[in-house]
Amino acid sequence: MNILALETATDNCSVAVAAGNDWRMENSCEPRAQSQVLLPTIDRLLADTGLSKSQLDGVAFGCGPGSFTGLRVAAAATQGIALALDVPVVGVSTLAAVAHQQFRTRNIHLCIAALDARMSEVYWGVYQTLQAGSTQLIAEEAVAAPDTVLWPDVIDDNNSSDVALAGSGSDMLLHLTGSDQRSVVVDAGVLPEALDTLALALPVFERGEAQPAEEARPVYLRNKVALTEQERAAKRDAGTVKP
Amino acid sequence: MLVIGVESSCDETAVALYDSEQGLVGHLVHSQIDLHAAYGGVVPELASRDHIQRLIPLLRQLLNDSGHTLSQIGGVAYTSGPGLAGALLTGAVYARALAWALEVPALAVHHMEGHLLAPMLESNTPQPPFVCLLVSGGHSQLIRVDAIGAYTFLGDTLDDAAGEAFDKTAKVLGLPYPGGPHLSRLAENGDATAFDLPRPMTDRAGLDFSFSGLKTAVMTTWNRLSQQPMSDAELDKLRADLAASFQAAIVDTLRIKCERALRQEGLDCLVISGGVSANRHLRTSFDEHFSNTTISAGSTGGASTVDVVYPSLEFCTDNAAMIALVGSLRLTAGEQSGSDITVRPRWPLSELCCPGANA
């Protein structure tokens, strides 16, 4: 299959193209420039692989969590491209992509993926990758205050040696290291990459479970982004917010 | 050329199809008013989240309704500014990627040029040169139009836009969101002469506006009088009278500045566009006044009455028909925007050029 994959949940604007077995990726990490570099990057990768747009069979995108704006860049581009080419889409968790990357680059099967969610919170989830292209969520994806995140018991049930703590939110979860007999490998500098988005989306495309273009939507995890007038009034009455 | 227009600069998601030969094919607008009502104003993040869910369903419906397919599309135009950054980016990335994948040219459109040229969507097309008053929730600008793309700024608001003043004043009076239209309806039952509110900046030279003082004047009056003991009916009357007096003050101010601009420029055609141009009192007041006003215009120096042109109501508020129109004008002149997508939340209209100048 020929698949285009986009992952822009962080500052990394990552694009990958699979032309059959020829997989290529390009990353560019320039803050707030994703929308400028995205389409030119796709053009280069298609040229490199010799694919034309019409030969694409689907578009995979990193659906989050991550930067709200970044998520919409990938989702909006995916929508436009998939609609025009009349191909289906697959959304891949950005946290799962981080976990798959730990498997792909370091052969670590268990990963606590964590991304800085700002506002003193972290997006996190626990994943197991037993083989390429198959990363399973084994504890719920969530947005949480770091000090409420406890060592996931589910990891102790698994028979594996190393655990990776990976992603920009790793520094917020360092209390998870050292508390356990397991060796925790911290990789705070890692950025999600579209090669993993591609790897995780491909089986979904192959199973025929991809979705129509309009289903390319971000998964924000943080769903409360503003207070209604009623809630503001209630907070004022409680003395927690100054008028 | 059949052009898709996409608009997502604030709290309306809109798509349109415009044929460069035949004119507007169709357009659809999804308003987010209900979404933001509980918050008392537009929440930018929620606006962006809604846009991305509406863009494809709206376009599919429009294509379906008009019996067209994407294979017939010759270009895509999208609003790239001014407006809310996240909202703009959502529509811009979608639309630009759509054009890229269809392998047709794309054009980044200035939202206010859309408003400015909206009368061209109908038969009453004004011929430049003319003066345009752009009045909406975000803008109160007087512009001289010498040709499409040749815009000279004559005046701007120093603080609140006219529509913003409507909304904020409505809030002062305890009206629900979005306050502007509520205030206008209330004003119909009020006495516009009940309160002598200022006509800001009309007593001095120049074409700039300032509306925040007017809002404060209403607030002061309301706070003082509404505290006094009175029946519900009296309170309702006070509210309606203040609304009517406020609306009259805004409309008078806009009209005085428009006339001043026409005389200064020696022009006898006035185009009024943007959300506030839907205001019924504004239209009545302008029509009555300018049908009895003569201006010495043109090289002949002969005096003539002023032509006042408004877009029809559906094209006053944000829509994609005006974006597709501008796109069509500029795309057919050979202009196009690259695949490096940028949005411009602030973008002076005066930076635009005539269609094709940058082709």
Side-chain angles (χ1 to χ4, degrees), chain A residues 68-212:
Chain A
F68 297 161
T69 298
L71 300 187
R72 281 189 291 269
V73 167
T78 299
Q79 287 191 6
I81 295 168
L83 180 69
L85 301 179
D86 196 20
V87 296
V89 304
V90 169
V92 172
S93 158
T94 299
L95 292 169
V98 168
H100 188 269
Q101 188 183 347
Q102 293 299 309
F103 172 82
R104 172 168 61 88
T105 60
R106 312 164 84 168
N107 201 29
I108 300 180
H109 296 263
L110 275 169
C111 178
I112 302 167
L115 292 167
D116 186 347
R118 303 195 200 173
M119 301 170 75
S120 304
E121 290 189 314
V122 63
Y123 300 120
W124 76 294
V126 187
Y127 305 83
Q128 184 175 41
T129 309
L130 295 177
Q131 57 184 38
S134 152
T135 292
Q136 302 294 324
L137 178 67
I138 56 174
E140 195 184 5
E141 286 186 350
V143 57
D147 55 8
T148 66
V149 175
L150 305 175
W151 180 258
D153 293 337
V154 64
I155 287 185
D156 297 321
D157 303 336
N158 278 284
N159 229 350
S160 170
S161 53
D162 285 354
V163 177
L165 172 58
S168 61
S170 302
D171 290 342
M172 303 164 87
L173 298 181
L174 288 179
H175 60 276
L176 297 183
T177 62
S179 64
D180 192 82
Q181 62 277 30
R182 275 172 189 279
S183 150
V184 176
V185 184
V186 180
D187 188 356
V190 66
L191 292 170
E193 295 184 343
L195 212 51
D196 302 290
T197 312
L198 182 56
L200 294 175
L202 190 61
V204 186
F205 282 110
E206 286 172 342
R207 289 197 301 269
E209 293 170 4
Q211 304 215 295

Side-chain angles (χ1 to χ4, degrees), chain A residues 35-36 42-43 53 68-69 72-73 75-77 79-80 84 214 217 220 222-223 225-229 232, chain B residues 38-40 43 45-46 48-49 52-53 56 60 70 89-90 93-94 97-98 100-101 103 171 339-342:
Chain A
S35 66
Q36 290 174 54
I42 302 173
D43 274 326
K53 291 166 192 143
F68 297 161
T69 298
R72 281 189 291 269
V73 167
Q79 287 191 6
E214 51 264 59
R217 293 178 182 177
Y220 302 101
R222 179 179 285 143
N223 290 318
V225 295
L227 295 178
T228 64
E229 290 199 302
R232 280 202 299 272
Chain B
Y39 300 88
V43 181
E45 174 59 23
L46 294 182
S48 302
R49 288 186 178 198
I52 200 151
Q53 305 196 50
I56 288 187
R60 281 206 204 272
L70 284 174
L89 193 65
T90 304
V93 170
Y94 161 77
L98 182 69
W100 175 88
E103 300 188 323
K171 210 166 187 172
S339 59
D340 51 334
I341 307 156
T342 52

Side-chain angles (χ1 to χ4, degrees), chain B residues 129 131 144 260-268 295-299:
Chain B
V131 168
R144 179 192 168 102
R260 195 179 284 176
L262 290 164
R263 292 193 188 283
Q264 174 189 305
E265 299 299 313
L267 297 174
D268 58 6
I295 301 253
S296 300
S299 51

Side-chain angles (χ1 to χ4, degrees), chain B residues 119-161:
Chain B
M120 290 176 65
L121 289 164
E122 294 155 288
S123 52
N124 56 344
T125 304
Q127 287 303 313
F130 55 81
V131 168
C132 181
L133 172 68
L134 285 177
V135 269
S136 67
H139 300 270
S140 301
Q141 301 171 336
L142 274 165
I143 294 152
R144 179 192 168 102
V145 177
D146 282 296
I148 293 169
Y151 310 123
T152 311
F153 254 88
L154 303 175
D156 202 348
T157 182
L158 304 178
D159 39 57
D160 291 350

